[in-house]
Each structure stands twice: as structure tokens, then as C-alpha cells.
Amino acid sequence: MKEIVILGSTGSIGRQALDVIRRFPDKMRVAGLAAGSNWPLMAEQIREFRPRVVALAREEAARELAQNLPPEELPDIFWGPGSLVTVATAVDSGVVLNALTGTVGLGPTVAALEKGLDIALANKETLVAAGELVMKLAREKGARILPVDSEHSAIWQCLAGQPQNRVGKIILTASGGPFRKEPADLSRVTVDEALAHPNWRMGKKITIDSATLMNKGLEVLEAHWLFAVDYDQIEVVVHPQSIIHSMVEFVDGSVIAQLGLPDMRLPIQYALSYPDRWPSELPRVDWFALGELTFEPPDTKRFPCLALAYAAGRTGGTMPAVLNAANEIAVDAFLAGEIDFTAIPRLVAGVMEEHAVVYEPTLEEILAADQWARGAAREKARR
């Protein structure tokens, strides 16, 4: 039995991961769960999966959870920032699925890696902000980083043990989001329109990132660290059907692609089952109903966030952490109705321009840059 810890169990990825685990009761068991403040859903998950330890972000939510479960169903319950590390290190072997949103996911990732645990990584910010540190730590501890994002899972499967010197370039596919072609004036789009992704059903933050193409930019930064390729070897291609999840072009010109329906349970299952590949009842591609697969270059004038991410990655040091933190604040401000859609990249660019980059930063310097960028972004959002 493989023991699984899920950080972010009440979010979109966490719920889908539990659906995968539910299908393999003889292969996996849930050892720990962590979430924000949704204690009613956490209570349901505890009743079904019986974890030994759980964590919630707030004390009030933890108390409500404890009061609404019978004593015989009560796991060990923790709350507050340190509780994520407690749950992430609750097992001696197995897989920690990090499906948290934001740099809050960095600490528990580092703690689990220090213990030598494999990380199924759906938290982009871990590698965006601290990719060099995290990958070095994983190598030192003999732990594996198992990609959960559909694009990085696709690349991982396409590479399938191929030597690094055979890779020509990585091709990340992007759906283009809800505003790929229209409306012409993006400053007037509403929050509801930005949240209406044509292919994927995801959390609010990642859905807005998909609409701005920042999500793809963050994936470029992740791919650089996950697969040890230069930024000039990473290309983004808009593929509106979201059937090809990514491709690898090898030095001889041949291209291997990974295809499948847009269903996050497939890459989640692959990460949790690796190195095996288990049968599933997930929907299959109907090739005759599919019709066509189309491709186009990304419009970086319409969606400047993608270019900002490449620039941050090439600058290096603390700049990717600043890009990520400023974007989180900008997205929150857009969702709250404080700024318009086109202000997101302007705000991020403004914070990046003001940042004094620290090269070869420590974890403390990365976190300090993150906090500085959040403060600078909040100030700009209020103007």
C-alpha cells in the first residue's frame, strides 16, 4: 500500500486526487490531508478516507472540524502555518501531493524533501520561486519530483528516460484561454468571463492565470528546472483543443507528443502510480469525433505575461519569485474588482522593474523577495 499525503485536499486538484485514490483502494491509502478553511468538506474526506493526521489553516476551522466528528473518527488535527509541514512529514515513505496555491506550498515541499519523500508537484510556485534550491535538495536526498501539471506530465512521459543530450526542445501547448481571439478590448472583460475557461475546470487563481497566459509562463519556468533545459529550448504553442498536452522535439528532428482528453485525473494517477501505469476507466479520445488539431503562435502583445515570465527566468535570482508574488496580488485584485484585466501584466511589470535582484539566493532571501513583491504590488493595486 502506497501512503499518500494531500496538501490542498479540498481544492480542485486535491478532490480529483482523492477520486483517483478512491478507484485504487488496494494500492493506495490516505495518510494525511491539509486544506484551508473548508472544514465541512474536510470532514467528509476524513469519514471516507480515514487519514491519521489533518491540518487546516485557521484555528476556528480546526475546532469546528473536531466538534463535528465523532471521537472514533477523529484524526490528529493541527492548524496554522506550521501544520502544513507537520502533515507533509507525517509519513516515512510514500508520496506527498502538493496541490496548494501560492508560495505557502514551498515550506512543506522542502520539509518533505528533507525527509527523502517523493513529491507529486501541482504547486507551481515551488519551482518558480525556488527551482534551483528544490531540485538540488531532491538530488541530495534521493527524492523524486513527480510532475502533476498536464503539460509537465506529458513532457515527462515523452522523455521516458531519454538522455539529456538528445533533447532539441520542449514544446509546451497552451489552450489560449477564453480570450484567445476576442474581445478586442480586454480591459472590459469581467471576472466571470475570465473564469469561463473553454476546456479545463480549475481553481480561480489558475483559471485567471490561464486567461492571461501567465500560467503558461510559470510552466516555462517550471520546465526549465524539471527537465534541465535552457529557456531558448522551451517553445510555447497555442493548441485550442487541449488534446496534445505537450511535445518533445529531439535532436534528429523527430517529435514525440502525449495526447489525451483534458482531464487532470490522468496526470494525477500517473504521478501517484509511477513508475507503474495502472488501468483506468477515465474517458478516452474519440478520434473520429475530434475533427482537427490546430496550432498557432502565442500573441505576446495581447498577452504580455508570457514574455514577462521568460524575462524573469532569463534574469534569474530572485526575479522569478517576484514575478510570481506580484502576479498573485494582481490576480487577487482583479478578482476583487480593484483593477481591470489588462492591469495585471502592467502591475507585474512595474514591480519587476523596481526589484533589485539577488543572485544565487538563499531560501530566506527568496522568501524576503516574495514578501517585498507582495507589498509593492498591493501598493500599486491601490493606486
Side-chain angles (χ1 to χ4, degrees):
M1 293 287 282
K2 186 179 290 189
E3 291 206 303
I4 310 295
V5 170
I6 301 178
L7 308 179
S9 67
T10 60
S12 175
I13 296 295
R15 296 194 307 271
Q16 292 180 81
L18 288 171
D19 185 51
V20 170
I21 293 170
R22 183 182 291 119
R23 297 163 188 257
F24 297 96
D26 59 331
K27 296 180 182 294
M28 294 183 284
R29 72 172 301 276
V30 176
L33 298 173
S37 57
N38 190 349
W39 68 263
L41 180 53
M42 172 71 83
E44 292 178 18
Q45 294 174 349
I46 290 170
R47 291 188 187 101
E48 179 177 0
F49 295 99
R50 299 300 178 93
R52 296 194 302 271
V53 58
V54 302
L56 288 163
R58 297 179 181 85
E59 183 179 8
E60 297 80 7
R63 286 178 177 171
E64 289 284 356
L65 178 65
Q67 291 168 2
N68 283 274
L69 286 172
E72 64 272 14
E73 293 182 359
L74 271 180
D76 292 335
I77 302 175
F78 298 87
W79 61 274
S83 63
L84 289 173
V85 169
T86 300
V87 174
T89 56
V91 294
D92 294 320
S93 62
V95 178
V96 177
L97 170 61
N98 188 340
L100 298 166
T101 299
T103 50
V104 68
L106 180 54
T109 296
V110 169
L113 288 174
E114 287 279 8
K115 199 172 179 180
L117 297 170
D118 291 341
I119 304 291
L121 192 61
N123 171 259
K124 296 179 184 300
E125 293 78 9
T126 290
L127 292 182
V128 169
E132 185 173 10
L133 287 172
V134 168
M135 296 306 292
K136 180 182 178 183
L137 180 60
R139 289 192 297 270
E140 290 175 351
K141 299 296 181 178
R144 297 179 295 192
I145 304 291
L146 312 171
V148 170
D149 268 356
S150 61
E151 294 83 359
H152 299 112
S153 177
I155 295 162
W156 183 30
Q157 294 177 65
C158 290
L159 289 171
Q162 290 280 354
Q164 180 63 33
N165 61 5
R166 293 182 185 173
V167 177
K169 66 180 176 181
I170 282 171
I171 303 165
L172 288 169
T173 56
S175 69
F179 307 131
R180 182 170 60 91
K181 294 294 186 182
E182 55 185 28
D185 183 5
L186 289 176
S187 67
R188 297 180 179 274
V189 302
T190 67
V191 170
D192 286 344
E193 288 170 337
L195 290 173
H197 195 283
N199 300 336
W200 297 93
R201 296 296 171 262
M202 305 173 290
K204 288 186 178 181
K205 197 269 181 181
I206 191 173
T207 303
I208 300 301
D209 283 349
S210 295
T212 65
L213 287 197
M214 180 61 87
N215 187 54
K216 205 54 50 180
L218 298 178
E219 289 174 2
V220 168
L221 298 173
E222 288 182 276
H224 168 74
W225 294 114
L226 278 170
F227 306 111
V229 293
D230 189 78
Y231 288 107
D232 292 336
Q233 293 177 274
I234 305 172
E235 181 179 357
V236 173
V237 173
V238 175
H239 168 51
Q241 294 82 17
S242 296
I243 296 297
I244 296 178
H245 297 301
S246 276
M247 299 173 271
V248 175
E249 180 182 295
F250 293 93
V251 291
D252 62 357
S254 62
V255 178
I256 295 179
Q258 190 267 337
L259 291 75
L261 292 177
D263 189 326
M264 282 303 301
R265 290 173 296 178
L266 183 55
I268 291 169
Q269 179 176 315
Y270 186 69
L272 296 182
S273 66
Y274 185 82
D276 203 350
R277 190 184 285 271
W278 299 337
S280 81
E281 298 177 359
L282 296 176
R284 268 44 174 180
V285 176
D286 183 340
W287 300 105
F288 303 107
L290 190 58
E292 62 179 5
L293 302 177
T294 61
F295 309 91
E296 60 195 58
D299 186 344
T300 52
K301 290 184 178 179
R302 184 171 171 83
F303 302 107
C305 283
L306 180 58
L308 290 174
Y310 269 102
R314 290 186 171 113
T315 299
T318 50
M319 189 62 87
V322 167
L323 165 94
N324 175 73
N327 178 66
E328 283 189 29
I329 299 302
V331 170
D332 285 346
F334 171 68
L335 288 170
E338 297 169 4
I339 63 173
D340 70 56
F341 185 80
T342 57
I344 295 175
R346 291 199 303 272
L347 189 155
V348 173
V351 174
M352 289 173 64
E353 288 170 5
E354 296 175 4
H355 180 55
V357 181
V358 177
Y359 294 98
E360 298 183 2
T362 64
L363 180 58
E364 290 72 23
E365 288 170 327
I366 290 169
L367 295 174
D370 173 273
Q371 289 304 305
W372 172 85
R374 290 174 190 277
R378 289 190 187 99
E379 185 176 338
K380 290 182 181 298
R382 286 193 293 264
R383 292 175 186 172

